């Protein structure tokens, strides 16, 4: 599902608040602390976007209009890959450092994917994915997560208890990724207003840019365990 206008509106408001608070240019704030470089393009595309932004009467409209021709096509039930990665329902994985499995969850369609009614299906998808990993990734021996989603019991319950028993908070900013930003949007990419207002309020009172990640209501958590637990 393409991102909504609200998806960009919140990040533009956030970047403007950072700009006002710390004397950054809007370009700098957007580039370093939002998902826009990955959503709109980098290199020459980013230069075109910023040039237009500087002239735009409505920053949100310009941003959304710039994004729409670049929006990805919705996944269909027949799709077997996502950005080159094999899909297992709503999951795919990547291999890091040759032996670490990083699982990822993606939205497919407009229905909820973490409700109790979907619990059995999500667990079946994960089981199928890890069977594939054990059969096809001979060097893999560890699973490492990295997402705000692990704050939610509805997500944690999909995994073996050993995986989420001890989780560390990521020390990386990762402001360009949905691992941090996804917490502010529902399944239609509309803003969760209470969380968004909490974020913006915290930014206006922030005294040290190095503490920016602490303004986010949910931190990125990193569960970890042996692949044998799956």
């Amino acid at each position: 599902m393409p991102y909504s206008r609200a998806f960009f509106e919140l990040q533009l408001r956030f970047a403007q608040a950072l700009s006002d608070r710390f004397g950054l240019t809007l370009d700098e704030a957007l580039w370093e602390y939002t998902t826009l470089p990955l959503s709109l393009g980098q290199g020459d595309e980013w230069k075109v976007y910023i040039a237009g932004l500087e002239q735009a009467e409505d920053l949100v409209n310009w941003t959304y209009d710039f994004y729409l021709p670049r929006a990805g096509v919705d996944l269909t039930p027949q799709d077997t890959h996502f950005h080159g990665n094999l899909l297992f329902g709503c999951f795919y994985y990547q291999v890091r450092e040759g032996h670490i499995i990083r699982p990822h969850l993606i939205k497919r369609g407009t229905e909820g994917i973490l409700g109790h009614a979907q619990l059995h299906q999500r667990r079946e998808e994960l089981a199928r994915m890890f069977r594939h990993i054990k059969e096809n990734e001979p060097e893999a021996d560890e699973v490492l997560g990295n997402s705000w989603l692990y704050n939610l019991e509805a997500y944690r319950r999909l995994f073996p208890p050993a995986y989420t028993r001890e989780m560390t908070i990521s020390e990386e900013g990762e402001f360009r990724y949905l691992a941090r930003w996804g917490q502010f949007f529902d399944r239609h990419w509309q803003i969760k207003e209470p969380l968004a207002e909490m974020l913006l309020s915290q930014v206006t009172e922030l005294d040290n840019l190095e503490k920016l990640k602490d303004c986010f209501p949910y931190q990125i958590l990193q569960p970890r365990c042996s692949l044998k637990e799956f």
Side-chain angles (χ1 to χ4, degrees):
M1 170 184 254
Y3 297 135
S4 67
R5 186 180 183 278
F7 179 83
F8 298 100
E9 179 182 6
L10 174 59
Q11 294 184 75
L12 282 161
R13 290 172 64 194
F14 174 80
Q16 188 62 66
L18 283 181
S19 176
D20 295 342
R21 186 69 175 166
F22 294 100
L24 304 172
T25 66
L26 185 57
D27 181 358
E28 290 171 333
L30 290 169
W31 178 261
E32 294 291 341
Y33 301 108
T34 76
T35 70
L36 270 64
L38 298 184
S39 305
L40 304 179
Q42 302 177 48
D44 289 341
E45 281 193 293
W46 185 255
K47 293 177 183 178
V48 172
Y49 165 67
I50 291 299
L53 192 71
E54 292 172 348
Q55 303 298 320
E57 294 184 6
D58 187 310
L59 303 189
V60 180
N61 283 344
W62 162 250
T63 301
Y64 192 53
D65 288 345
F66 191 86
Y67 160 72
L68 283 176
R70 297 161 176 79
V73 178
D74 281 357
L75 287 171
T76 71
Q78 290 73 41
D79 286 325
T80 60
H81 290 76
F82 177 72
H83 292 174
N85 301 291
L86 188 61
L87 280 169
F88 301 84
C90 291
F91 293 95
Y92 68 95
Y93 72 92
Q94 294 174 313
V95 181
R96 303 293 177 87
E97 300 178 23
H99 70 105
I100 299 173
I101 298 298
R102 175 69 61 81
H104 296 277
L105 177 76
I106 61 170
K107 297 181 180 183
R108 299 190 74 167
T110 59
E111 300 301 316
I113 59 175
L114 292 179
H116 196 272
Q118 292 80 36
L119 178 60
H120 177 77
Q121 183 177 355
R122 295 290 90 81
R123 284 178 172 169
E124 188 280 328
E125 291 166 356
L126 272 176
R128 184 156 46 89
M129 184 174 82
F130 279 98
R131 283 197 299 271
H132 174 88
I133 290 169
K134 291 175 180 179
E135 293 170 359
N136 295 276
E137 304 290 353
E139 301 300 318
D141 60 5
E142 190 173 18
V143 183
L144 173 65
N146 191 74
S147 176
W148 75 274
L149 281 166
Y150 292 104
N151 290 275
L152 306 181
E153 194 277 332
Y155 192 51
R156 294 194 304 270
R157 68 188 179 188
L158 301 179
F159 299 92
Y163 178 57
T164 58
R165 186 173 294 128
E166 295 183 8
M167 297 187 286
T168 59
I169 297 175
S170 172
E171 294 301 319
E172 302 298 323
E174 301 186 71
F175 297 106
R176 285 188 176 181
Y177 301 101
L178 290 176
R180 187 169 296 284
W181 278 100
Q183 62 189 283
F184 297 105
F185 306 98
D186 65 18
R187 64 177 180 266
H188 302 290
W189 295 115
Q190 296 303 311
I191 297 173
K192 297 177 181 176
E193 291 291 350
L195 289 180
E197 292 306 320
M198 187 184 304
L199 170 69
L200 297 174
S201 175
Q202 294 274 6
V203 168
T204 61
E205 299 176 3
L206 190 64
D207 59 5
N208 185 340
L209 195 53
E210 292 184 359
K211 299 178 181 178
L212 181 59
K213 70 181 182 66
D214 297 333
C215 294
F216 287 71
Y218 292 121
Q219 294 304 311
I220 295 176
L221 297 181
Q222 295 182 320
R224 187 179 216 134
C225 75
S226 168
L227 177 61
K228 295 178 182 178
E229 298 290 343
F230 282 82

